[in-house]
């Protein structure tokens, strides 16, 4: 791939640009430097500082005119951390410091260095000149792109090169999307075939799907297959501080593209410009974005007339926030769903990415695919790379199955962080919490086998975790299984309640997920006896057509809303009761497993299965 150069600019423009950039840099330095240098350490409230002094935690203090810097006493040989606080007029402070034996000194006021002279005397005129020129140029009839090239589109142009051509063969697991896009490739390759019969070539195709599922990759593959230039820009790059810049960028981008037709314009993160105009009331409206959006709509309506084949591909993971005007016929009237891959899709993606690494003979990609439901393409690419890194670290020649097994855990739960040490009480709570999940999960239908419980913290959030691996990909779940999942999620908290009689903040995420699931059962899956088989959630289709606004719930009466809430509550509470009963009845086993877990930190495999096999199910 090669990147095309922008056309040359006249010298006057270049000088003005340099002036503006230089003055901007100084302004930035002026803003940033004070916050980096004198107050690099974290700022804390004065009251906290006094508290720390009183507790005897402070080692030494340096009192300046505008700030107080202080260092905490060292702990286990490491230097204590440094903080700053803003001084208030406090005559008691020296006495307090003395009584606590804190070393302290006053710092002299800052000297006038050449640097601050420059900042104070040279920069403001420069900024003034820069801004003045900028406005002159806008008033001067040339529009925003008159003098400075701020208005120029920043689109990167990729022209197909022999070396790194991306094709449909590089994308897997999204077969339906590919089928639809093959058609787009045909339009680009031989537009005449379609126009001769009088067919209208679609202009806009919207790729919709979660992050990392391969939307960008697909757009590049379309360009690669058709052998046409590919202009790529991200929606967020359009949204600028200055009103009018975004829209002139859009104009410039389409001008460039039309000259190179047939070609593809790819707008990533379309939602950054295309947010529904009715939905930004909170910010009091955003003129700049609105103008940019209008310009985009105008350009899309305009270019059919010229006969140039420019197809606009755009990607978003939040189609429901888009302005309905974008989705009307003649604009982004085709939507292609790019969803997370299923079992065979995951295997195919793994195959593509493992071509780049040396695989051992024992590697079974199908088994890996089975263990990674919910992974998007990008996660799988990451997984292969992690496995290769692990193999290299273990000084292996090729990547082995066990590297993949460990990599899955890493990708699932964040990197292993043995350094974050829990204290004994915390560890105990986490142990019972995880065993609670595992025991309830083991009895519930359809939630997969519990393969591992661990109290080794991973990543930043999870203190411990319970790994349940499904034995197959599930698309359909029945009500009982969903209720089982909710009970499993509440198992951790229930165990804490039974053993410690109190609950900790550690269960917040579990509760969130349990409640979400219960709400979906009622509002989307129609599983409530009271509310009946109605969908109270807006369908995606309805939102695409623009008649739904942005409210994810259908308009419901107040009574219905109350009924939904009480149904959700009922589901969660029943599941909670269920989990409590199971754990109470098997309390001895709960204790036994937790004690073992505290000892070994991890229980997995056959040992875990045999322990969990001893659970007594509830008598019905
Ligand atoms: P998105 O634009 O949907 O967020 P990307 O296209 O940027 O996702 O995907 C990031 C990377 O993940 C790609 O460059 C590719 O390596 C890998 N990837 C994602 N989806 C797929 C897929 N369906 N097939 C093969 N690789 C994929
Ligand atoms: Mg992307
Ligand atoms: Zn939990």
């Amino acid at each position: 791939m090669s990147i095309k150069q922008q056309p040359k600019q006249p010298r006057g423009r270049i000088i003005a640009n340099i002036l503006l950039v230089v003055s901007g840099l100084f302004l930035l330095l002026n803003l940033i430097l004070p916050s980096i240098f004198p107050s690099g350490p974290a700022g804390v409230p004065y009251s906290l500082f006094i508290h720390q002094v009183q507790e005897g935690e402070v080692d030494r203090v340096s009192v300046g005119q505008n700030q107080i810097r202080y260092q905490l006493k060292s702990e286990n040989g490491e230097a204590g951390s440094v903080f700053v606080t803003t001084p208030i007029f406090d005559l008691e402070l020296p006495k307090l410091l003395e009584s606590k034996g804190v070393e302290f000194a006053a710092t002299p006021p800052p000297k006038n260095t050449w640097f601050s002279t420059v900042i104070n005397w040279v920069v403001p005129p420069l900024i003034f000149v820069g801004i003045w020129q900028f406005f002159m140029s806008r008033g001067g009839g040339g529009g925003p792109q008159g003098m400075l090239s701020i208005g120029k589109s920043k689109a990167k142009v990729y022209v197909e090169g022999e070396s790194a051509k991306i094709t449909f063969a590089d994308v897997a697991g999204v077969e339906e999307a590919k089928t639809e896009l093959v058609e787009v490739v045909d339009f680009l390759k031989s537009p005449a075939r379609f126009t001769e019969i009088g067919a209208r070539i679609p202009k806009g195709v919207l790729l919709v799907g979660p992050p990392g599922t391969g939307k960008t990759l697909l757009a590049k593959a379309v360009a690669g297959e058709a052998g046409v230039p590919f202009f790529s820009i991200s929606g967020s790059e359009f949204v600028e501080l200055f009103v009018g810049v975004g829209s002139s960028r859009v104009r410039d981008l389409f001008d460039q593209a039309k000259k190179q037709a047939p070609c593809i314009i790819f707008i990533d993160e379309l939602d950054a410009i295309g947010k529904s105009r009715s939905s930004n009331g909170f910010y009091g409206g955003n003129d700049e974005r609105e103008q940019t959006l209008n310009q985009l709509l105008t350009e899309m309506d305009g270019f059919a007339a010229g006969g140039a084949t420019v197809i606009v591909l755009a990607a978003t993971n939040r189609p429901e926030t888009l302005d309905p005007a974008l989705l009307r016929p003649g604009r982004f009237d085709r939507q292609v769903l790019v969803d997370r891959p299923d079992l065979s899709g995951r295997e195919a993606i793994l195959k593509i990415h493992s071509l780049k690494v040396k695989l051992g003979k024992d590697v079974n990609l199908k088994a890996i695919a089975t263990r990674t439901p919910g992974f998007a393409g990008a996660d799988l690419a990451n997984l292969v790379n992690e496995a290769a890194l692990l193999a290299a670290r273990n000084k292996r020649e090729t990547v082995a199955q066990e590297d993949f097994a460990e990599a899955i855990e890493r990708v699932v739960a964040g990197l292993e962080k043995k350094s974050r040490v829990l204290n004994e009480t915390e560890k105990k709570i986490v142990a019972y919490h995880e065993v609670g999940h595992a025991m309830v999960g083991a009895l519930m239908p359809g939630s997969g086998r519990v393969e591992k419980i661990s109290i080794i913290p991973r990543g930043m959030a999870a203190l411990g975790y319970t790994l349940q691996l499904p034995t197959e990909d599930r698309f359909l779940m029945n009500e009982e299984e969903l209720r089982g999942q909710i009970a499993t999620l509440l198992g951790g908290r229930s165990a804490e309640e039974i053993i410690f009689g109190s609950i900790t903040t550690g269960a917040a995420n579990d509760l969130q997920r349990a409640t979400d699931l219960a709400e979906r059962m009622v509002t989307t899956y129609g599983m409530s006896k009271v509310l009946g088989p109605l969908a109270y959630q807006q369908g995606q289709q309805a939102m695409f057509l623009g008649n739904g606004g942005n409210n994810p719930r259908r308009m419901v009466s107040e009574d219905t809303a109350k009924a939904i809430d009480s149904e959700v509550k009922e589901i969660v509470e029943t599941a909670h009761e269920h989990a409590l009963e199971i754990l109470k009845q098997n309390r001895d086993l709960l204790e036994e497993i937790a004690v073992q877990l505290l000892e070994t930190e991890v229980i997995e495999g056959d040992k875990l299965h045999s322990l969990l096999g001893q659970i007594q199910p509830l008598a019905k």
Side-chain angles (χ1 to χ4, degrees):
M1 265 182 250
S2 63
I3 296 174
K4 284 210 170 167
Q5 294 251 298
Q6 290 213 336
K8 269 202 181 147
Q9 301 166 344
R11 189 176 294 153
R13 252 186 231 180
I14 294 176
I15 291 172
N17 265 334
I18 291 172
L19 264 182
L20 190 77
V21 168
V22 168
S23 59
L25 267 179
F26 271 102
L27 179 64
L28 231 102
L29 276 178
N30 205 1
L31 288 176
I32 291 173
L33 275 180
S35 58
I36 293 180
F37 284 119
S39 56
V44 300
Y46 190 76
S47 53
L48 175 63
F49 163 64
I50 292 296
H51 176 78
Q52 284 172 323
V53 172
Q54 281 167 343
E55 294 289 310
E57 291 168 6
V58 177
D59 187 34
R60 49 189 174 167
V61 177
S62 141
V63 184
Q65 211 173 6
N66 300 316
Q67 68 171 3
I68 295 177
R69 277 171 82 93
Y70 66 98
Q71 186 169 27
L72 297 186
K73 286 192 177 142
S74 63
E75 262 179 295
N76 45 44
E78 286 171 39
S81 8
V82 176
F83 295 96
V84 299
T85 184
T86 314
I88 57 173
F89 191 67
D90 185 354
L91 286 175
E92 300 298 310
L93 181 62
K95 269 191 235 161
L96 176 66
L97 291 176
E98 239 186 281
S99 71
K100 292 285 169 191
V102 181
E103 191 185 314
F104 69 97
T107 41
K111 288 203 200 80
N112 220 354
T113 59
W114 67 269
F115 193 74
S116 58
T117 316
V118 167
I119 296 237
N120 292 332
W121 294 101
V122 180
V123 174
L126 267 177
I127 293 172
F128 177 76
V129 169
I131 291 176
W132 175 68
Q133 293 223 6
F134 177 66
F135 280 103
M136 282 297 286
S137 75
R138 294 190 66 183
Q145 76 244 72
M147 179 194 76
L148 305 160
S149 61
I150 290 188
K152 280 261 180 278
S153 99
K154 286 197 225 156
K156 297 177 209 73
V157 186
Y158 297 103
V159 181
E160 169 218 347
E162 290 310 309
S163 52
K165 184 168 152 178
I166 293 176
T167 65
F168 283 142
D170 297 309
V171 196
V174 283
E175 298 312 317
E176 281 141 70
K178 269 206 243 176
T179 324
E180 296 224 21
L181 291 173
V182 165
E183 223 171 274
V184 176
V185 173
D186 283 344
F187 292 141
L188 286 164
K189 268 188 173 160
S190 43
R193 216 174 71 213
F194 296 89
T195 47
E196 268 162 23
I197 321 180
R200 189 174 54 83
I201 290 175
K203 288 185 234 169
V205 179
L206 185 61
L207 305 171
V208 181
T213 45
K215 299 181 292 297
T216 309
L217 194 66
L218 271 169
K220 284 188 183 157
V222 171
E225 290 279 341
V228 300
F230 177 79
F231 292 77
S232 140
I233 193 162
S234 164
S236 55
E237 288 171 52
F238 282 121
V239 181
E240 282 284 337
L241 203 53
F242 297 110
V243 175
V245 174
S247 55
S248 91
R249 275 205 186 131
V250 172
R251 204 177 315 132
D252 192 59
L253 172 62
F254 277 82
D255 283 348
Q256 280 187 44
K258 271 183 264 183
K259 280 181 209 141
Q260 303 245 7
C263 68
I264 288 178
I265 296 180
F266 176 61
I267 306 178
D268 212 345
E269 299 175 59
L270 182 65
D271 40 284
I273 19 174
K275 251 190 222 134
S276 168
R277 279 168 286 195
S278 59
S279 73
N280 53 27
F282 175 73
Y283 301 101
N286 181 337
D287 264 358
E288 166 58 5
R289 193 171 60 214
E290 197 156 311
Q291 282 194 17
T292 309
L293 174 58
N294 282 336
Q295 188 65 38
L296 180 63
L297 296 177
T298 316
E299 293 290 346
M300 288 197 73
D301 291 346
F303 67 58
T309 316
V310 178
I311 292 189
V312 187
L313 296 180
T316 181
N317 46 15
R318 297 153 64 203
E320 70 285 352
T321 65
L322 290 180
D323 197 294
L326 270 173
L327 307 174
R328 278 198 201 120
R331 294 168 184 166
F332 292 103
D333 48 5
R334 290 196 168 203
Q335 280 114 29
V336 174
L337 184 65
V338 188
D339 214 346
R340 295 205 176 86
D342 63 4
L343 179 63
S344 62
R346 290 197 299 275
E347 193 183 344
I349 296 174
L350 283 168
K351 215 169 257 162
I352 290 177
H353 287 282
S354 54
L355 287 179
K356 294 169 209 148
V357 301
K358 284 188 198 153
L359 285 192
K361 287 211 177 66
D362 67 327
V363 173
N364 180 348
L365 292 180
K366 178 145 197 206
I368 300 167
T370 314
R371 296 192 149 207
T372 47
F375 274 41
D379 303 325
L380 292 167
N382 183 16
L383 173 68
V384 174
N385 191 46
E386 280 283 338
L389 287 174
L390 283 169
R393 204 170 302 154
N394 295 335
K395 308 221 164 52
R396 267 195 268 276
E397 304 268 289
T398 56
V399 187
Q401 186 76 4
E402 58 185 287
D403 297 319
F404 274 102
E406 197 175 339
I408 292 175
E409 282 177 36
R410 289 190 174 214
V411 178
V412 165
L415 284 173
E416 192 153 345
K417 264 196 110 189
K418 285 198 175 174
S419 56
R420 195 183 176 306
V421 209
L422 296 177
N423 68 32
E424 285 308 308
T425 339
E426 280 173 332
K427 227 166 148 181
K428 208 169 151 194
I429 294 174
V430 173
Y432 279 98
H433 180 104
E434 298 304 331
V435 176
H437 281 309
M439 286 178 64
V440 178
L443 277 190
M444 292 298 148
S447 53
R449 246 156 101 99
V450 183
E451 288 294 340
K452 178 169 183 171
I453 20 180
S454 155
I455 51 171
I456 300 173
R458 282 164 175 262
M460 293 310 288
L463 295 177
Y465 68 94
T466 303
L467 188 67
Q468 256 182 321
L469 292 176
T471 37
E472 60 196 322
D473 242 22
R474 296 298 304 270
F475 287 107
L476 295 174
M477 293 238 223
N478 62 31
E479 183 181 342
E480 203 193 336
E481 289 168 336
L482 287 170
R483 283 183 187 265
Q485 280 204 348
I486 297 176
T488 307
L489 283 168
L490 295 169
R493 178 198 153 107
S494 306
E496 288 184 44
E497 276 174 75
I498 293 173
I499 303 293
F500 305 100
S502 67
I503 38 189
T504 60
T505 51
N509 180 264
D510 296 338
L511 296 188
Q512 185 71 47
R513 282 166 57 196
T515 315
D516 285 351
L517 205 53
E519 179 160 342
R520 253 183 291 151
M521 285 174 67
V522 177
T523 61
T524 312
Y525 307 143
M527 285 176 179
S528 153
K529 293 197 179 60
V530 182
L531 289 147
L534 292 175
Y536 294 93
Q537 207 86 28
Q538 294 266 4
Q540 272 212 329
Q541 203 55 39
M543 281 188 269
F544 275 148
L545 295 174
N547 56 6
N550 300 294
N551 184 2
R553 257 194 206 178
R554 224 171 260 283
M555 298 292 276
V556 292
S557 69
E558 207 171 306
D559 288 343
T560 313
K562 265 190 205 152
I564 292 176
D565 289 344
S566 79
E567 273 290 292
V568 171
K569 193 156 170 252
E570 186 271 335
I571 292 177
V572 175
E573 273 173 358
T574 314
H576 184 203
E577 285 304 317
H578 197 165
L580 279 174
E581 269 175 62
I582 292 174
L583 294 176
K584 275 185 192 149
Q585 188 171 313
N586 291 281
R587 186 175 169 141
D588 292 344
L589 188 64
L590 172 63
E591 301 263 9
E592 188 191 329
I593 304 181
V595 168
Q596 283 202 29
L597 182 59
L598 276 166
E599 238 166 60
T600 57
E601 297 205 329
V602 178
I603 307 182
E604 60 189 325
D606 293 339
K607 189 172 168 206
L608 182 62
H609 295 153
S610 77
L611 282 171
L612 292 176
Q614 298 168 31
I615 305 177
Q616 301 293 320
L618 294 179
K620 284 256 162 91

